[in-house]
Amino acid sequence: MASEATGERLPAAQAMVRLFAARGIDRAFCVPGESYLPLLDALEASAIDLVVCRHESGAGFAALADAQATRRPGLFLVSRGPGATNGAIAIHSAMHDALPVVMICGQVARDEAGRHAFQDMDYRQVFGTVAKWATQVDEPQRLLETLARALAAARSGRPGPVVVAPPAAVSEAEAPGEGQPLHASPQAGPRLDAEAIAAIAGELARAQRPLIIGGSLINTPEGRESLARLARTLRVPVAVDFRQQDLLPNDDPLYAAHLGFKIPPAQVERLARADLILAVGTDLGATPTQRYTFPRAPVPAQRVIHVYPDPEVAARVYQPQWRCIADPVATVQALAARAEAHAAAVPAAARGDWIGTLQDYLRALRTMEPVATDDGVCFGDVVAALDRRMADDGVLVIDSGNFNTWTQRCYGFRGERRMSGTMAGAMGMGVPGALAWSLRFPGRQVVALVGDGCVLMTGNELASAVQQGATPKLVVADNGSYGTIRLHQEKRFPGRVAGTRLANPDFARWGESFGASAWRIDETGQVDTVVAAALACPGPAVVHVRASLRRLSAFYTMPAEATR
């Protein structure tokens, strides 16, 4: 239904809430501000769950995580000026992650705009380059029309964030109800015709060494199911984009690689032997392509078929042999349905050798030899314990830092396990992300892996979790360092430490001060017992791990002298 004729006029804030609810939004995250008090009041009187956060960046990251969890627009509300700039980190992240996020900002009165008034800001100019669309609503009669457009923009094509700023006078006015676009029109992206689907399926079947690179835009229940069916029917290995380790069960023999930051060169060399690449739902950005070396840019060494919904993004760097501007999920579904008709063309011997080559390396990568450390616990041991103990529908929220590389070697996404994190590399996603996932799925285990740097950026959202009755488990890797920067520092300036040391609190006592249960892990022998106890805890929990700085990454061990 495109619209509903209500024949009434409503307070604008109530009309906004009605529109949000009609578009499937059932939760909003906020830091309150006097510049949008009418909207706060309308939300409180509605069925939409209003989650109060402690900082706008936390509210934004929570909305981003909620968008990941639901594939619906994540909504957060901030006050004008400083509130909006605090939320900008989530807008930047959502743009990189292609996630539908909506930020509603307060704004100064219209007669103050452009006069350097208190907290005045030109949202179009400030957010125009980091959001998919940024606008201000100056007329009450245009409010619902503009919001409907913003919600559609956030979800259409390549999804992304939008910023909408109604001045206080607009929120306080009446908005027309008649003929306004409450319910969204059904949307479908462009679809490949049957001839194109048959041609792609045929190429995948006949190739000697095909590889699928799966991206975030197919990480939906329908996309994951169809990807698995396509890969298994035609026996095509799958490499997954950064932060998309849950696209295919990691114990599937066709799971080939996680294309994260700077994966081992030997693994890239094996993947590069592919003679056909189907890249679907990924923008083939710098991270999964290892800075545009696999596939080689701008003209790949292999035959590449790239399926992506946005022609501008798809053409930004690569010149593939076949560029398909199409809905990635619909494409994978159509290919899966067509695959059986081409299965007989698969060269069994060559395909078996190709799968074996990739699996041999992956098995070696996942084999971790114990390394004694005298400066703390190897965080990989903690991640391995989580793998053994977490349920098969558990959610692992990953913050930014080298500590999360251990998930590539020690943790398997199998069953209905989900991964959440931002591909933009922003620190601070972990705690607010775990808040959002725990609220969305209260019956599931939700664990956040956070570093000692990350947790003190947005860890105050643990207070929001306790207030809302959420039950996330926070596992804090405390190595006393901004570890990722320290690693780069050691490689470029060996033995010289500048600006990366951290003095930290006792995170267990910190967690208890919020009302969470808390444990410490100071020795390897404590790992399994503490992880089991934290996961069994019915409420929120914090596990403080005194982590080794030497073993700060799954792929790099610092020299002993560098950690003294």
PDB file of all heavy atoms in Angstrom, residues 305-333:
ATOM      1  N   ILE A 305      32.907 -11.938 -12.449  1.00  0.00           N
ATOM      2  CA  ILE A 305      31.507 -11.546 -12.580  1.00  0.00           C
ATOM      3  C   ILE A 305      31.142 -10.829 -11.292  1.00  0.00           C
ATOM      4  O   ILE A 305      31.211 -11.409 -10.205  1.00  0.00           O
ATOM      5  CB  ILE A 305      30.594 -12.770 -12.787  1.00  0.00           C
ATOM      6  CG1 ILE A 305      31.035 -13.569 -14.015  1.00  0.00           C
ATOM      7  CG2 ILE A 305      29.138 -12.336 -12.915  1.00  0.00           C
ATOM      8  CD1 ILE A 305      30.346 -14.926 -14.138  1.00  0.00           C
ATOM      9  N   HIS A 306      30.790  -9.563 -11.387  1.00  0.00           N
ATOM     10  CA  HIS A 306      30.511  -8.763 -10.190  1.00  0.00           C
ATOM     11  C   HIS A 306      29.034  -8.402 -10.155  1.00  0.00           C
ATOM     12  O   HIS A 306      28.523  -7.744 -11.063  1.00  0.00           O
ATOM     13  CB  HIS A 306      31.367  -7.486 -10.204  1.00  0.00           C
ATOM     14  CG  HIS A 306      31.314  -6.706  -8.917  1.00  0.00           C
ATOM     15  ND1 HIS A 306      31.742  -5.408  -8.810  1.00  0.00           N
ATOM     16  CD2 HIS A 306      30.876  -7.055  -7.674  1.00  0.00           C
ATOM     17  CE1 HIS A 306      31.568  -4.990  -7.560  1.00  0.00           C
ATOM     18  NE2 HIS A 306      31.053  -5.961  -6.851  1.00  0.00           N
ATOM     19  N   VAL A 307      28.350  -8.835  -9.095  1.00  0.00           N
ATOM     20  CA  VAL A 307      26.930  -8.559  -8.915  1.00  0.00           C
ATOM     21  C   VAL A 307      26.769  -7.591  -7.756  1.00  0.00           C
ATOM     22  O   VAL A 307      27.112  -7.914  -6.608  1.00  0.00           O
ATOM     23  CB  VAL A 307      26.130  -9.852  -8.630  1.00  0.00           C
ATOM     24  CG1 VAL A 307      24.651  -9.532  -8.461  1.00  0.00           C
ATOM     25  CG2 VAL A 307      26.347 -10.865  -9.743  1.00  0.00           C
ATOM     26  N   TYR A 308      26.240  -6.388  -8.058  1.00  0.00           N
ATOM     27  CA  TYR A 308      26.102  -5.347  -7.039  1.00  0.00           C
ATOM     28  C   TYR A 308      24.974  -4.419  -7.466  1.00  0.00           C
ATOM     29  O   TYR A 308      24.767  -4.197  -8.661  1.00  0.00           O
ATOM     30  CB  TYR A 308      27.408  -4.574  -6.876  1.00  0.00           C
ATOM     31  CG  TYR A 308      27.563  -3.945  -5.510  1.00  0.00           C
ATOM     32  CD1 TYR A 308      27.813  -4.723  -4.385  1.00  0.00           C
ATOM     33  CD2 TYR A 308      27.454  -2.569  -5.348  1.00  0.00           C
ATOM     34  CE1 TYR A 308      27.939  -4.156  -3.135  1.00  0.00           C
ATOM     35  CE2 TYR A 308      27.582  -1.985  -4.087  1.00  0.00           C
ATOM     36  CZ  TYR A 308      27.824  -2.789  -2.989  1.00  0.00           C
ATOM     37  OH  TYR A 308      27.947  -2.213  -1.740  1.00  0.00           O
ATOM     38  N   PRO A 309      24.226  -3.848  -6.520  1.00  0.00           N
ATOM     39  CA  PRO A 309      23.038  -3.070  -6.916  1.00  0.00           C
ATOM     40  C   PRO A 309      23.317  -1.627  -7.315  1.00  0.00           C
ATOM     41  O   PRO A 309      22.433  -0.965  -7.867  1.00  0.00           O
ATOM     42  CB  PRO A 309      22.164  -3.109  -5.657  1.00  0.00           C
ATOM     43  CG  PRO A 309      23.138  -3.237  -4.535  1.00  0.00           C
ATOM     44  CD  PRO A 309      24.254  -4.084  -5.066  1.00  0.00           C
ATOM     45  N   ASP A 310      24.513  -1.116  -7.041  1.00  0.00           N
ATOM     46  CA  ASP A 310      24.811   0.297  -7.284  1.00  0.00           C
ATOM     47  C   ASP A 310      25.845   0.421  -8.397  1.00  0.00           C
ATOM     48  O   ASP A 310      26.993   0.015  -8.223  1.00  0.00           O
ATOM     49  CB  ASP A 310      25.346   0.931  -5.992  1.00  0.00           C
ATOM     50  CG  ASP A 310      25.522   2.438  -6.100  1.00  0.00           C
ATOM     51  OD1 ASP A 310      25.969   2.912  -7.156  1.00  0.00           O
ATOM     52  OD2 ASP A 310      25.215   3.141  -5.122  1.00  0.00           O
ATOM     53  N   PRO A 311      25.477   0.979  -9.546  1.00  0.00           N
ATOM     54  CA  PRO A 311      26.425   1.043 -10.661  1.00  0.00           C
ATOM     55  C   PRO A 311      27.635   1.913 -10.375  1.00  0.00           C
ATOM     56  O   PRO A 311      28.742   1.626 -10.842  1.00  0.00           O
ATOM     57  CB  PRO A 311      25.586   1.624 -11.813  1.00  0.00           C
ATOM     58  CG  PRO A 311      24.425   2.295 -11.155  1.00  0.00           C
ATOM     59  CD  PRO A 311      24.156   1.535  -9.910  1.00  0.00           C
ATOM     60  N   GLU A 312      27.456   2.970  -9.603  1.00  0.00           N
ATOM     61  CA  GLU A 312      28.595   3.852  -9.307  1.00  0.00           C
ATOM     62  C   GLU A 312      29.627   3.145  -8.448  1.00  0.00           C
ATOM     63  O   GLU A 312      30.832   3.205  -8.716  1.00  0.00           O
ATOM     64  CB  GLU A 312      28.105   5.112  -8.599  1.00  0.00           C
ATOM     65  CG  GLU A 312      29.226   6.094  -8.305  1.00  0.00           C
ATOM     66  CD  GLU A 312      28.751   7.343  -7.591  1.00  0.00           C
ATOM     67  OE1 GLU A 312      27.519   7.558  -7.525  1.00  0.00           O
ATOM     68  OE2 GLU A 312      29.603   8.091  -7.094  1.00  0.00           O
ATOM     69  N   VAL A 313      29.171   2.449  -7.410  1.00  0.00           N
ATOM     70  CA  VAL A 313      30.089   1.721  -6.541  1.00  0.00           C
ATOM     71  C   VAL A 313      30.736   0.572  -7.294  1.00  0.00           C
ATOM     72  O   VAL A 313      31.945   0.331  -7.181  1.00  0.00           O
ATOM     73  CB  VAL A 313      29.351   1.205  -5.292  1.00  0.00           C
ATOM     74  CG1 VAL A 313      30.258   0.303  -4.463  1.00  0.00           C
ATOM     75  CG2 VAL A 313      28.859   2.382  -4.455  1.00  0.00           C
ATOM     76  N   ALA A 314      29.947  -0.140  -8.070  1.00  0.00           N
ATOM     77  CA  ALA A 314      30.469  -1.308  -8.786  1.00  0.00           C
ATOM     78  C   ALA A 314      31.570  -0.929  -9.775  1.00  0.00           C
ATOM     79  O   ALA A 314      32.472  -1.725 -10.046  1.00  0.00           O
ATOM     80  CB  ALA A 314      29.328  -2.009  -9.514  1.00  0.00           C
ATOM     81  N   ALA A 315      31.519   0.275 -10.309  1.00  0.00           N
ATOM     82  CA  ALA A 315      32.484   0.694 -11.326  1.00  0.00           C
ATOM     83  C   ALA A 315      33.619   1.534 -10.748  1.00  0.00           C
ATOM     84  O   ALA A 315      34.429   2.076 -11.503  1.00  0.00           O
ATOM     85  CB  ALA A 315      31.761   1.491 -12.414  1.00  0.00           C
ATOM     86  N   ARG A 316      33.688   1.652  -9.446  1.00  0.00           N
ATOM     87  CA  ARG A 316      34.620   2.597  -8.836  1.00  0.00           C
ATOM     88  C   ARG A 316      36.076   2.234  -9.101  1.00  0.00           C
ATOM     89  O   ARG A 316      36.902   3.114  -9.368  1.00  0.00           O
ATOM     90  CB  ARG A 316      34.357   2.666  -7.328  1.00  0.00           C
ATOM     91  CG  ARG A 316      35.135   3.747  -6.607  1.00  0.00           C
ATOM     92  CD  ARG A 316      34.632   3.893  -5.186  1.00  0.00           C
ATOM     93  NE  ARG A 316      33.304   4.491  -5.156  1.00  0.00           N
ATOM     94  CZ  ARG A 316      32.467   4.369  -4.132  1.00  0.00           C
ATOM     95  NH1 ARG A 316      32.789   3.635  -3.088  1.00  0.00           N
ATOM     96  NH2 ARG A 316      31.283   4.955  -4.162  1.00  0.00           N
ATOM     97  N   VAL A 317      36.439   0.971  -9.003  1.00  0.00           N
ATOM     98  CA  VAL A 317      37.838   0.562  -9.145  1.00  0.00           C
ATOM     99  C   VAL A 317      38.017  -0.468 -10.253  1.00  0.00           C
ATOM    100  O   VAL A 317      38.898  -0.332 -11.104  1.00  0.00           O
ATOM    101  CB  VAL A 317      38.377  -0.009  -7.808  1.00  0.00           C
ATOM    102  CG1 VAL A 317      39.810  -0.520  -7.977  1.00  0.00           C
ATOM    103  CG2 VAL A 317      38.317   1.059  -6.714  1.00  0.00           C
ATOM    104  N   TYR A 318      37.161  -1.480 -10.258  1.00  0.00           N
ATOM    105  CA  TYR A 318      37.401  -2.641 -11.120  1.00  0.00           C
ATOM    106  C   TYR A 318      36.701  -2.537 -12.469  1.00  0.00           C
ATOM    107  O   TYR A 318      35.658  -1.903 -12.603  1.00  0.00           O
ATOM    108  CB  TYR A 318      36.947  -3.914 -10.407  1.00  0.00           C
ATOM    109  CG  TYR A 318      37.912  -4.373  -9.340  1.00  0.00           C
ATOM    110  CD1 TYR A 318      37.725  -4.016  -8.003  1.00  0.00           C
ATOM    111  CD2 TYR A 318      39.019  -5.139  -9.671  1.00  0.00           C
ATOM    112  CE1 TYR A 318      38.620  -4.427  -7.028  1.00  0.00           C
ATOM    113  CE2 TYR A 318      39.924  -5.544  -8.702  1.00  0.00           C
ATOM    114  CZ  TYR A 318      39.723  -5.187  -7.385  1.00  0.00           C
ATOM    115  OH  TYR A 318      40.611  -5.587  -6.429  1.00  0.00           O
ATOM    116  N   GLN A 319      37.297  -3.206 -13.409  1.00  0.00           N
ATOM    117  CA  GLN A 319      36.699  -3.385 -14.728  1.00  0.00           C
ATOM    118  C   GLN A 319      36.538  -4.887 -14.968  1.00  0.00           C
ATOM    119  O   GLN A 319      37.326  -5.507 -15.697  1.00  0.00           O
ATOM    120  CB  GLN A 319      37.581  -2.766 -15.810  1.00  0.00           C
ATOM    121  CG  GLN A 319      37.787  -1.261 -15.656  1.00  0.00           C
ATOM    122  CD  GLN A 319      38.772  -0.708 -16.660  1.00  0.00           C
ATOM    123  OE1 GLN A 319      38.958  -1.261 -17.748  1.00  0.00           O
ATOM    124  NE2 GLN A 319      39.433   0.381 -16.290  1.00  0.00           N
ATOM    125  N   PRO A 320      35.532  -5.485 -14.348  1.00  0.00           N
ATOM    126  CA  PRO A 320      35.339  -6.932 -14.505  1.00  0.00           C
ATOM    127  C   PRO A 320      34.862  -7.266 -15.904  1.00  0.00           C
ATOM    128  O   PRO A 320      34.368  -6.407 -16.638  1.00  0.00           O
ATOM    129  CB  PRO A 320      34.277  -7.254 -13.457  1.00  0.00           C
ATOM    130  CG  PRO A 320      33.488  -5.995 -13.352  1.00  0.00           C
ATOM    131  CD  PRO A 320      34.477  -4.877 -13.529  1.00  0.00           C
ATOM    132  N   GLN A 321      34.998  -8.529 -16.256  1.00  0.00           N
ATOM    133  CA  GLN A 321      34.535  -8.953 -17.576  1.00  0.00           C
ATOM    134  C   GLN A 321      33.009  -8.896 -17.667  1.00  0.00           C
ATOM    135  O   GLN A 321      32.458  -8.734 -18.751  1.00  0.00           O
ATOM    136  CB  GLN A 321      35.036 -10.369 -17.876  1.00  0.00           C
ATOM    137  CG  GLN A 321      36.519 -10.445 -18.199  1.00  0.00           C
ATOM    138  CD  GLN A 321      37.400 -10.419 -16.953  1.00  0.00           C
ATOM    139  OE1 GLN A 321      36.911 -10.356 -15.827  1.00  0.00           O
ATOM    140  NE2 GLN A 321      38.711 -10.466 -17.151  1.00  0.00           N
ATOM    141  N   TRP A 322      32.336  -9.017 -16.511  1.00  0.00           N
ATOM    142  CA  TRP A 322      30.884  -8.998 -16.524  1.00  0.00           C
ATOM    143  C   TRP A 322      30.403  -8.270 -15.267  1.00  0.00           C
ATOM    144  O   TRP A 322      30.569  -8.769 -14.151  1.00  0.00           O
ATOM    145  CB  TRP A 322      30.326 -10.426 -16.553  1.00  0.00           C
ATOM    146  CG  TRP A 322      28.876 -10.515 -16.935  1.00  0.00           C
ATOM    147  CD1 TRP A 322      27.971  -9.495 -17.024  1.00  0.00           C
ATOM    148  CD2 TRP A 322      28.151 -11.699 -17.268  1.00  0.00           C
ATOM    149  NE1 TRP A 322      26.740  -9.956 -17.384  1.00  0.00           N
ATOM    150  CE2 TRP A 322      26.816 -11.317 -17.554  1.00  0.00           C
ATOM    151  CE3 TRP A 322      28.496 -13.047 -17.360  1.00  0.00           C
ATOM    152  CZ2 TRP A 322      25.839 -12.228 -17.903  1.00  0.00           C
ATOM    153  CZ3 TRP A 322      27.524 -13.959 -17.706  1.00  0.00           C
ATOM    154  CH2 TRP A 322      26.201 -13.557 -17.985  1.00  0.00           C
ATOM    155  N   ARG A 323      29.833  -7.083 -15.449  1.00  0.00           N
ATOM    156  CA  ARG A 323      29.295  -6.318 -14.333  1.00  0.00           C
ATOM    157  C   ARG A 323      27.784  -6.413 -14.374  1.00  0.00           C
ATOM    158  O   ARG A 323      27.150  -6.037 -15.368  1.00  0.00           O
ATOM    159  CB  ARG A 323      29.741  -4.858 -14.406  1.00  0.00           C
ATOM    160  CG  ARG A 323      29.221  -4.010 -13.246  1.00  0.00           C
ATOM    161  CD  ARG A 323      29.691  -2.562 -13.348  1.00  0.00           C
ATOM    162  NE  ARG A 323      31.118  -2.453 -13.184  1.00  0.00           N
ATOM    163  CZ  ARG A 323      31.939  -1.901 -14.073  1.00  0.00           C
ATOM    164  NH1 ARG A 323      31.453  -1.432 -15.215  1.00  0.00           N
ATOM    165  NH2 ARG A 323      33.225  -1.841 -13.847  1.00  0.00           N
ATOM    166  N   CYS A 324      27.194  -6.908 -13.288  1.00  0.00           N
ATOM    167  CA  CYS A 324      25.741  -7.107 -13.224  1.00  0.00           C
ATOM    168  C   CYS A 324      25.168  -6.187 -12.157  1.00  0.00           C
ATOM    169  O   CYS A 324      25.422  -6.382 -10.961  1.00  0.00           O
ATOM    170  CB  CYS A 324      25.417  -8.564 -12.868  1.00  0.00           C
ATOM    171  SG  CYS A 324      26.128  -9.778 -13.986  1.00  0.00           S
ATOM    172  N   ILE A 325      24.438  -5.192 -12.562  1.00  0.00           N
ATOM    173  CA  ILE A 325      23.781  -4.294 -11.615  1.00  0.00           C
ATOM    174  C   ILE A 325      22.438  -4.917 -11.271  1.00  0.00           C
ATOM    175  O   ILE A 325      21.473  -4.833 -12.038  1.00  0.00           O
ATOM    176  CB  ILE A 325      23.614  -2.884 -12.217  1.00  0.00           C
ATOM    177  CG1 ILE A 325      24.968  -2.378 -12.730  1.00  0.00           C
ATOM    178  CG2 ILE A 325      23.014  -1.938 -11.194  1.00  0.00           C
ATOM    179  CD1 ILE A 325      26.080  -2.384 -11.690  1.00  0.00           C
ATOM    180  N   ALA A 326      22.412  -5.585 -10.140  1.00  0.00           N
ATOM    181  CA  ALA A 326      21.243  -6.390  -9.797  1.00  0.00           C
ATOM    182  C   ALA A 326      21.171  -6.604  -8.298  1.00  0.00           C
ATOM    183  O   ALA A 326      22.155  -6.412  -7.568  1.00  0.00           O
ATOM    184  CB  ALA A 326      21.308  -7.741 -10.512  1.00  0.00           C
ATOM    185  N   ASP A 327      20.012  -7.023  -7.836  1.00  0.00           N
ATOM    186  CA  ASP A 327      19.780  -7.363  -6.440  1.00  0.00           C
ATOM    187  C   ASP A 327      20.613  -8.609  -6.109  1.00  0.00           C
ATOM    188  O   ASP A 327      20.384  -9.685  -6.677  1.00  0.00           O
ATOM    189  CB  ASP A 327      18.295  -7.640  -6.238  1.00  0.00           C
ATOM    190  CG  ASP A 327      17.940  -7.965  -4.800  1.00  0.00           C
ATOM    191  OD1 ASP A 327      18.689  -8.710  -4.150  1.00  0.00           O
ATOM    192  OD2 ASP A 327      16.895  -7.492  -4.329  1.00  0.00           O
ATOM    193  N   PRO A 328      21.591  -8.502  -5.184  1.00  0.00           N
ATOM    194  CA  PRO A 328      22.468  -9.650  -4.914  1.00  0.00           C
ATOM    195  C   PRO A 328      21.731 -10.868  -4.352  1.00  0.00           C
ATOM    196  O   PRO A 328      22.014 -12.004  -4.757  1.00  0.00           O
ATOM    197  CB  PRO A 328      23.477  -9.096  -3.906  1.00  0.00           C
ATOM    198  CG  PRO A 328      23.476  -7.630  -4.127  1.00  0.00           C
ATOM    199  CD  PRO A 328      22.061  -7.295  -4.474  1.00  0.00           C
ATOM    200  N   VAL A 329      20.795 -10.657  -3.414  1.00  0.00           N
ATOM    201  CA  VAL A 329      20.076 -11.804  -2.836  1.00  0.00           C
ATOM    202  C   VAL A 329      19.234 -12.489  -3.894  1.00  0.00           C
ATOM    203  O   VAL A 329      19.238 -13.724  -4.021  1.00  0.00           O
ATOM    204  CB  VAL A 329      19.221 -11.367  -1.634  1.00  0.00           C
ATOM    205  CG1 VAL A 329      18.320 -12.519  -1.173  1.00  0.00           C
ATOM    206  CG2 VAL A 329      20.108 -10.916  -0.479  1.00  0.00           C
ATOM    207  N   ALA A 330      18.500 -11.705  -4.692  1.00  0.00           N
ATOM    208  CA  ALA A 330      17.681 -12.292  -5.752  1.00  0.00           C
ATOM    209  C   ALA A 330      18.546 -13.052  -6.747  1.00  0.00           C
ATOM    210  O   ALA A 330      18.150 -14.107  -7.258  1.00  0.00           O
ATOM    211  CB  ALA A 330      16.886 -11.200  -6.465  1.00  0.00           C
ATOM    212  N   THR A 331      19.753 -12.540  -7.010  1.00  0.00           N
ATOM    213  CA  THR A 331      20.656 -13.218  -7.951  1.00  0.00           C
ATOM    214  C   THR A 331      21.111 -14.558  -7.396  1.00  0.00           C
ATOM    215  O   THR A 331      21.106 -15.573  -8.111  1.00  0.00           O
ATOM    216  CB  THR A 331      21.869 -12.319  -8.249  1.00  0.00           C
ATOM    217  OG1 THR A 331      21.419 -11.091  -8.834  1.00  0.00           O
ATOM    218  CG2 THR A 331      22.832 -13.004  -9.201  1.00  0.00           C
ATOM    219  N   VAL A 332      21.502 -14.582  -6.131  1.00  0.00           N
ATOM    220  CA  VAL A 332      21.953 -15.844  -5.529  1.00  0.00           C
ATOM    221  C   VAL A 332      20.799 -16.839  -5.453  1.00  0.00           C
ATOM    222  O   VAL A 332      20.981 -18.044  -5.688  1.00  0.00           O
ATOM    223  CB  VAL A 332      22.561 -15.582  -4.131  1.00  0.00           C
ATOM    224  CG1 VAL A 332      22.884 -16.895  -3.436  1.00  0.00           C
ATOM    225  CG2 VAL A 332      23.821 -14.748  -4.245  1.00  0.00           C
ATOM    226  N   GLN A 333      19.613 -16.364  -5.144  1.00  0.00           N
ATOM    227  CA  GLN A 333      18.450 -17.255  -5.119  1.00  0.00           C
ATOM    228  C   GLN A 333      18.194 -17.865  -6.495  1.00  0.00           C
ATOM    229  O   GLN A 333      17.936 -19.068  -6.619  1.00  0.00           O
ATOM    230  CB  GLN A 333      17.217 -16.490  -4.644  1.00  0.00           C
ATOM    231  CG  GLN A 333      17.223 -16.135  -3.174  1.00  0.00           C
ATOM    232  CD  GLN A 333      16.023 -15.301  -2.770  1.00  0.00           C
ATOM    233  OE1 GLN A 333      15.657 -14.346  -3.449  1.00  0.00           O
ATOM    234  NE2 GLN A 333      15.400 -15.647  -1.655  1.00  0.00           N
TER     235      GLN A 333
END
